[in-house]
Amino acid sequence: MLPVQTLLQNLQDHVQEHKAVTYKWFAREYSLPANYAKQLLFRFVEEQGSKIRAVYAVSGRCKTDDDQQQHVVRLVPSAQLEACCGELQEGTVTVHIHRCETGSLPGCWHG
């Protein structure tokens, strides 16, 4: 496995080429465990700050007035992350980074 700094530099190079990087692509490209790829993407997004946009996969049970339970999975931009988590039942919410990208990707959805 490549050193962490090399992986982060490769990630930065790819994103600077205006490409979105999903954790799944990153894991496969560099033969990384998926959870490790997510950790590196999260670290990269934290280090880059507002230069990079993140999209998170959020899952949990919907809050409903009746007795029915519905499990949902949503892709949510970082700006909507807190609101999305608030719509789900406490204790059922899981969040992980799905992808990161520059803010200038044409045709990509941003919230």
Side-chain angles (χ1 to χ4, degrees), residues 94-111:
T94 60
V95 177
H96 74 257
I97 193 162
H98 176 71
R99 76 172 183 259
C100 64
E101 58 200 35
T102 63
S104 60
L105 276 175
C108 285
W109 157 69
H110 298 291

Side-chain angles (χ1 to χ4, degrees), residues 72-87:
V72 296
V73 178
R74 298 177 180 157
L75 293 180
V76 181
S78 56
Q80 298 174 7
L81 184 59
E82 188 175 329
C84 179
C85 291
E87 295 172 0

